[in-house]
Amino acid sequence: MTTSRGASPRAATLTDVARLAGVSVATASKAINGRDQVKAETRLRVLEAAERLAFAPNALARGLLRGRTGTVGLLTSDLEGRFGIPVLMGAEDAFGAGRVSVFLCDARGDAIREQHHVRALLSRRIDGLIVVGARTDPRPPLVSEVPVPVVYAYAPSEDPNDVSITADNIGAGRLAITHLLACGRRAIAHVSGDPSYQAAQDRAVGATAALADAGLDLVGGQTYFGSWSEGWGRGAARMIVEQHPEVNGFFCGSDQIARGVLDALRELGRDVPGTTSVVGFDNWEVLTTNARPQLTSIDMNLERLGRVAAQRLFAAIDGTVRPGIEQLPCRLVTRESSVPN
Amino acid sequence: MTTSRGASPRAATLTDVARLAGVSVATASKAINGRDQVKAETRLRVLEAAERLAFAPNALARGLLRGRTGTVGLLTSDLEGRFGIPVLMGAEDAFGAGRVSVFLCDARGDAIREQHHVRALLSRRIDGLIVVGARTDPRPPLVSEVPVPVVYAYAPSEDPNDVSITADNIGAGRLAITHLLACGRRAIAHVSGDPSYQAAQDRAVGATAALADAGLDLVGGQTYFGSWSEGWGRGAARMIVEQHPEVNGFFCGSDQIARGVLDALRELGRDVPGTTSVVGFDNWEVLTTNARPQLTSIDMNLERLGRVAAQRLFAAIDGTVRPGIEQLPCRLVTRESSVPN
DNA sequence: AAAGGCGCCGAAAAGGTTTTCTGAATGTAT
DNA sequence: ATACATTCAGAAAACCTTTTCGGCGCCTTT
């Protein structure tokens, strides 16, 4: 075990650069930041000195002086869940492209921890904050008065004056049904997950509406709610096939459920996609592409959602706010489990 | 669309607090930070004022003054992959418990982007940096000279003088085989993924060694390498059962492969866990608990790995460095697919 | 009563950058 | 030669906090 600390030679400061270039710090600053009032030759000398010293301006000092720090907070309620991550990736992407750095905090769904993190972020003078939820159910707004713009992503805020971005699950339901109809299926069942999820309800609403538009109703006259698991998908599929043998289309609330449905259908001797079509939800690669047959699924474009959230935050920081819930469309990814005519 | 900017009343500063409490900023600072040299009554007055103004010390100013900022960088090469996330969670957890905030950067496996992010982080004067890789293969160290401590997590650095934390995949291979032997299996096959992965090689080494200790060899005399997919698992299982019908244990390189193996075995009429045992790898909930039967798997304890990385970084920041690669043990999670005697 | 000690508070500097304003030097016009 | 405009460089303030050190007033001691 070593106990040295690698004699790090204090990072170069603007003063060092100025001294090396033989100018004042003011001039050095102007030269480096491309302001005018500096002769070309002088600027060159300064830039050369900065290069030699590997000068990197101290963002703390800069942030202290100007109002802005060029940092934002990304407050997620659960890193664990697989919905937060893509949103986070999109946001990080959108920010990283510019000059903004991201503070990541995980509140683990705990309001106390959340508040603690918000305080820490504010003390670091972030320019804005994105709050990423684990479900699309509206969530109570941040308790603390936050003096910077906030954008809620995936889980919208209950306060309509806040800026929220979420996925259009109703539209997604329509999309799935429209596709199944295009596959020539008329007897369509909807097997979904935990009905306490707003997302499950929304998808059911969209599905029902799209069927109604075609003068049809769901097989069984209702959505089959259960849990987001393969086991439920298997059980539901068996039950539905037994009670309604005419069923020839399944819209599933998640890819896991769809995997279960596919498994059950195969064991029941049903031909997918020959006589029955199946559509999943989430477009979770590891499940969709490993399924037999590969699974058609709905993608919520979560990365895009994250990017849009970042853009809205930028706009808000610049003073342009468009309050309310913005619903981003979902996308159908066609694979083998459903073949349109 | 509103274009107001919500008249945010500039955050309270220490000067404001001091004025309200009728003391100097110096006294206010000491009172708030619990230094002595302050009369109890005065301290109370200051704290009250701070409370009233919702005062939060400006971390930028503090960081500028003292050397440390209380921030660290978390540089991941792929957020997408599922190995980086748990490590990240563990690290975030360990830091969040203290007073440290985390800058998250995703380099997407691109060296240029990585360097760009390192520069940005350094300009923000982070106190340390954790580099999280996507694979356990050693990676080249950071190109830039970084004046703060660095810890490599999951993917160790090629430089033995760096501090690296990774998972003990050799030990994991032994662990799996030992367990299968304890289940009474003697004809064990190892179905793994892409052989270019160091992790795949290490697990095979550990498995072979453990079998050798028992005077045995792998079924087929070798590891069956392929891809990390269910499809490969299915194909490999069928092939192995055909060529070596005596096989009664499968150690799989990933849970996906194991799912494929399980599916194939079921279709071949093999009884799992009655006459054949299967062990997966990664302990990926969504795959293990939805499998039929539920899948025994090896867990790399990635969250713990992240936490340990954070601890090592703390230690390094405090000047205590223990260079080299630290291998953290993996853990067996027993489920239905394997039953020890 | 004078000297010393102690408790408490405030002035000031430091940390690195940006910006404004002043001033010097040079060039141009009368 | 004088008045004036133009160009460029530097001094200084500002951002906010922490820490050191000096000093003031009060109490104790002789």
Side-chain angles (χ1 to χ4, degrees):
Chain A
M1 156 145 33
T2 317
T3 318
S4 82
R5 54 164 60 234
S8 48
R10 190 182 52 76
T13 132
L14 192 58
T15 314
D16 303 331
V17 175
R19 185 169 22 231
L20 180 58
V23 299
S24 73
V25 285
T27 307
S29 172
K30 284 181 283 200
I32 288 177
N33 294 328
R35 336 272 313 135
D36 46 5
Q37 307 259 11
V38 176
K39 191 155 50 171
E41 186 227 24
T42 311
R43 181 187 310 277
L44 196 67
R45 226 169 52 238
V46 172
L47 289 178
E48 230 167 80
E51 182 68 29
R52 281 249 307 273
L53 297 177
F55 170 74
N58 186 325
L60 272 63
R62 182 188 269 153
L64 185 57
L65 188 56
R66 321 176 52 188
R68 303 215 183 147
T69 55
T71 61
V72 302
L74 206 42
L75 183 54
T76 152
S77 38
D78 81 323
L79 264 181
E80 195 154 13
R82 67 182 181 295
F83 299 120
I85 303 293
V87 177
L88 186 153
M89 284 177 59
E92 203 276 341
D93 185 35
F95 288 129
R99 323 219 134 292
V100 178
S101 294
V102 175
F103 279 117
L104 175 71
C105 308
D106 182 6
R108 280 179 200 67
D110 177 17
I112 303 294
R113 222 187 301 255
E114 182 171 285
Q115 194 164 3
H116 170 241
H117 275 134
V118 169
R119 255 203 282 273
L121 289 171
L122 290 181
S123 85
R124 300 203 184 278
R125 297 298 187 268
I126 52 170
D127 295 335
L129 178 59
I130 295 185
V131 179
V132 184
R135 300 167 53 161
T136 64
D137 303 67
R139 51 153 289 160
L142 254 31
V143 287
S144 0
E145 260 322 300
V146 181
V148 295
V150 180
V151 171
Y152 295 82
Y154 200 62
S157 164
E158 280 167 356
D159 184 342
N161 296 317
D162 287 332
V163 178
S164 302
I165 323 280
T166 189
D168 178 10
N169 275 296
I170 298 183
R174 301 192 79 103
L175 190 58
I177 295 299
T178 306
H179 173 68
L180 285 169
L181 291 172
C183 292
R185 308 308 175 196
R186 313 279 292 173
I188 299 172
H190 182 25
V191 183
S192 195
D194 184 337
S196 79
Y197 280 62
Q198 183 70 46
Q201 297 294 341
D202 288 348
R203 292 165 198 172
V205 166
T208 309
L211 278 173
D213 289 354
L216 298 169
D217 195 4
L218 281 170
V219 163
Q222 48 141 351
T223 297
Y224 294 89
F225 290 108
S227 70
W228 304 106
S229 68
E230 287 190 39
W232 163 241
R234 286 193 293 264
R238 286 204 196 89
M239 179 180 70
I240 293 169
V241 168
E242 180 176 350
Q243 293 178 2
H244 307 279
E246 77 279 13
V247 66
N248 56 11
F250 285 86
F251 169 34
C252 305
S254 77
D255 289 334
Q256 292 189 65
I257 293 174
R259 286 285 302 247
V261 168
L262 279 180
D263 273 4
L265 291 179
R266 178 153 20 88
E267 285 163 14
L268 290 167
R270 289 278 185 135
D271 174 17
V272 179
T275 61
T276 307
S277 302
V278 177
V279 174
F281 209 105
D282 294 340
N283 193 33
W284 198 4
E285 276 277 319
V286 70
L287 292 179
T288 54
T289 60
N290 282 307
R292 286 182 295 171
Q294 293 198 2
L295 185 61
T296 293
S297 189
I298 303 247
D299 191 314
M300 286 190 283
N301 282 325
L302 293 178
E303 243 182 281
R304 183 165 109 85
L305 199 154
R307 270 197 297 275
V308 170
Q311 289 162 7
R312 296 294 175 269
L313 187 61
F314 272 143
I317 290 173
D318 289 341
T320 307
V321 181
R322 188 196 305 264
I325 300 182
E326 185 174 351
Q327 310 233 5
L328 262 40
C330 301
R331 170 173 62 102
L332 181 81
V333 179
T334 309
R335 296 200 184 80
E336 302 164 358
S337 70
S338 71
V339 185
N341 294 353
Chain B
M1 157 146 31
T2 319
T3 318
S4 82
R5 56 165 57 234
S8 50
R10 190 184 52 76
T13 132
L14 193 57
T15 313
D16 303 331
V17 176
R19 186 172 19 235
L20 180 58
V23 299
S24 73
V25 286
T27 306
S29 171
K30 284 181 283 198
I32 288 176
N33 294 329
R35 334 272 313 134
D36 45 6
Q37 307 261 13
V38 176
K39 191 157 49 171
E41 186 227 25
T42 311
R43 183 187 307 278
L44 196 68
R45 228 170 49 238
V46 172
L47 289 178
E48 230 166 82
E51 181 69 26
R52 281 248 307 273
L53 298 177
F55 171 74
N58 186 326
L60 273 63
R62 182 187 271 155
L64 185 58
L65 189 56
R66 320 175 51 185
R68 304 217 181 144
T69 55
T71 61
V72 301
L74 206 42
L75 183 55
T76 153
S77 39
D78 80 324
L79 264 181
E80 195 153 12
R82 68 183 180 296
F83 299 120
I85 304 293
V87 177
L88 187 152
M89 284 177 59
E92 203 276 342
D93 184 35
F95 288 130
R99 324 219 133 293
V100 178
S101 293
V102 175
F103 279 117
L104 175 71
C105 308
D106 182 6
R108 279 180 202 68
D110 176 17
I112 303 293
R113 222 187 300 256
E114 182 172 283
Q115 194 163 4
H116 170 242
H117 274 135
V118 169
R119 256 203 281 273
L121 289 171
L122 289 181
S123 86
R124 300 202 183 279
R125 296 298 187 268
I126 52 170
D127 296 335
L129 177 59
I130 294 186
V131 179
V132 184
R135 300 167 52 161
T136 63
D137 301 67
R139 51 153 288 160
L142 255 30
V143 286
S144 357
E145 260 323 298
V146 181
V148 295
V150 180
V151 171
Y152 294 82
Y154 200 62
S157 165
E158 280 167 357
D159 184 342
N161 296 317
D162 287 333
V163 178
S164 302
I165 323 279
T166 187
D168 178 10
N169 274 295
I170 298 184
R174 300 192 80 102
L175 189 58
I177 295 300
T178 306
H179 172 68
L180 285 169
L181 292 172
C183 292
R185 308 308 176 197
R186 313 278 294 173
I188 300 172
H190 182 25
V191 183
S192 195
D194 184 338
S196 79
Y197 280 62
Q198 182 70 46
Q201 297 294 342
D202 288 347
R203 291 166 200 172
V205 166
T208 309
L211 277 173
D213 289 353
L216 297 170
D217 195 5
L218 282 170
V219 163
Q222 48 142 350
T223 296
Y224 294 89
F225 290 108
S227 71
W228 304 108
S229 67
E230 286 190 39
W232 162 240
R234 285 193 294 264
R238 285 204 196 88
M239 180 179 69
I240 293 169
V241 167
E242 181 176 349
Q243 294 179 3
H244 307 279
E246 76 279 13
V247 67
N248 57 11
F250 285 87
F251 169 34
C252 304
S254 77
D255 289 334
Q256 292 188 66
I257 292 174
R259 287 283 305 246
V261 168
L262 278 180
D263 273 5
L265 291 179
R266 178 153 18 87
E267 285 163 14
L268 291 167
R270 288 279 185 134
D271 174 15
V272 179
T275 61
T276 306
S277 301
V278 177
V279 173
F281 209 105
D282 294 340
N283 193 33
W284 199 3
E285 275 277 318
V286 69
L287 292 178
T288 55
T289 61
N290 282 307
R292 284 181 296 171
Q294 293 198 3
L295 184 61
T296 293
S297 189
I298 304 248
D299 191 314
M300 286 190 282
N301 282 325
L302 293 177
E303 247 184 277
R304 182 166 110 84
L305 199 154
R307 271 196 298 273
V308 170
Q311 289 162 8
R312 296 293 175 270
L313 187 61
F314 272 143
I317 291 173
D318 289 341
T320 307
V321 181
R322 189 196 304 266
I325 300 182
E326 185 174 352
Q327 310 234 5
L328 262 38
C330 302
R331 171 173 59 104
L332 181 81
V333 179
T334 310
R335 295 200 184 79
E336 301 165 357
S337 70
S338 71
V339 185
N341 296 352

